[in-house]
């Protein structure tokens, strides 16, 4: 049954609460001081791209080579033979209301220019 996983701990860890506090702080600053926040974020982006643009290039190139090496490597398939898949695949139960709400949201995105028609 979904939501009845006994492998997970029943409490939320400190990482969750720390992330929640940091996210709340960013949202509060962005809401209360939007101009200052925008200038600070723009400065941080400019600094990062100016001083660490080469690092981005090396990391993405390294990741590309890593993916290619994984794709071309031979690995033992018996290592993955113990992975168990569920007996019945999960399929969401969508109602007509869900479909109509999805189309309404899609139309709003298209009207605001956030999405091109037919690209969903």
């Amino acid at each position: 049954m979904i939501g009845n996983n006994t492998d997970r701990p029943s409490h939320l860890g400190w990482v969750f609460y720390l992330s929640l506090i940091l996210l709340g702080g960013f949202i509060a600053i962005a809401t209360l001081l939007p101009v200052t926040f925008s200038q600070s974020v723009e400065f941080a982006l400019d600094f990062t791209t100016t001083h660490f643009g080469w690092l981005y290039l090396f990391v993405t190139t390294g990741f590309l080579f890593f993916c290619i090496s994984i794709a071309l490597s031979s690995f033992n398939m018996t290592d993955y033979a113990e992975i168990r898949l569920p007996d019945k695949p999960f399929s969401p139960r969508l109602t007509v209301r869900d479909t109509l709400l999805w189309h309404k949201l899609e139309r709003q995105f298209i009207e605001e220019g956030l999405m091109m028609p037919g690209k969903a």
Side-chain angles (χ1 to χ4, degrees), residues 27-101:
I27 291 172
I29 292 171
T31 304
L32 298 174
L33 305 166
V35 175
T36 306
F37 183 76
S38 175
Q39 291 171 348
S40 300
V41 170
E42 186 176 340
F43 173 76
L45 178 63
D46 290 341
F47 179 83
T48 304
T49 53
T50 301
H51 293 92
F52 299 106
W54 56 271
L55 181 62
Y56 174 75
L57 178 66
F58 286 138
V59 169
T60 53
T61 304
F63 183 71
L64 177 66
F65 284 134
F66 172 73
C67 291
I68 291 172
S69 67
I70 293 293
L72 297 178
S73 69
S74 62
F75 53 89
N76 191 355
M77 285 302 291
T78 58
D79 294 339
Y80 302 101
E82 297 298 320
I83 297 175
R84 303 283 304 199
L85 297 177
D87 295 333
K88 187 169 76 171
F90 173 75
S91 60
R93 296 182 182 135
L94 298 177
T95 63
V96 174
R97 181 178 180 270
D98 295 332
T99 305
L100 293 174
L101 288 173

